[in-house]
Amino acid sequence: MFRISRYSIEKDFKLKKIIVFAVICFGAWSYYQKEYLHVSSNERGQSESVAKIIKREQVVPPQIESRFRCDGRQYCSQMTSRAEAVFFIKNCPNTKMDGDYDGIPCERDSRF
């Protein structure tokens, strides 16, 4: 019959170790792809929305004849009406009145 040499057994054992190591590495890589790159794609989505916001702020529409004017105010507490706040977010740079960027300023301000 066949004789199995010690060299053959050691070679098979080393091959099994390599295969087990490769399977563990593949599993770790798959887990990384699933968990960490999913977060990165969400961050990319946030980066894109930030880019849209920056682009929106850079495109300054022509000033509309209005009773309001940009004077550096940025916060809801500095506004006297919702109309004034809307004018500021549409026409003035660096406003901080629309936290969710839906175009509606001062949503939590109970005065308006």
Side-chain angles (χ1 to χ4, degrees), residues 68-74 78-79 84 87-88 92-93:
F68 309 118
R69 64 183 177 88
C70 297
D71 55 8
R73 293 182 286 163
Q74 297 178 338
Q78 298 169 321
M79 300 295 128
E84 185 178 31
F87 173 84
F88 267 77
C92 305

Side-chain angles (χ1 to χ4, degrees), residues 29 31-42 44:
W29 179 76
Y31 177 78
Y32 171 79
Q33 292 287 324
K34 179 182 164 192
E35 294 297 320
Y36 294 102
L37 293 184
H38 176 70
V39 171
S40 295
S41 67
N42 286 342
R44 263 194 299 262

Side-chain angles (χ1 to χ4, degrees), residues 82-104:
R82 180 160 322 254
E84 185 178 31
V86 169
F87 173 84
F88 267 77
I89 67 164
K90 289 185 178 180
N91 299 296
C92 305
N94 303 323
T95 59
K96 296 173 176 64
M97 295 179 276
D98 188 13
D100 56 2
Y101 306 105
D102 64 351
I104 303 170

Side-chain angles (χ1 to χ4, degrees), residues 19-54:
I19 290 172
V20 168
F21 180 74
V23 168
I24 290 171
C25 288
F26 179 75
W29 179 76
S30 296
Y31 177 78
Y32 171 79
Q33 292 287 324
K34 179 182 164 192
E35 294 297 320
Y36 294 102
L37 293 184
H38 176 70
V39 171
S40 295
S41 67
N42 286 342
E43 290 172 357
R44 263 194 299 262
Q46 290 174 355
S47 297
E48 289 171 7
S49 63
V50 169
K52 289 178 185 177
I53 294 164
I54 291 170

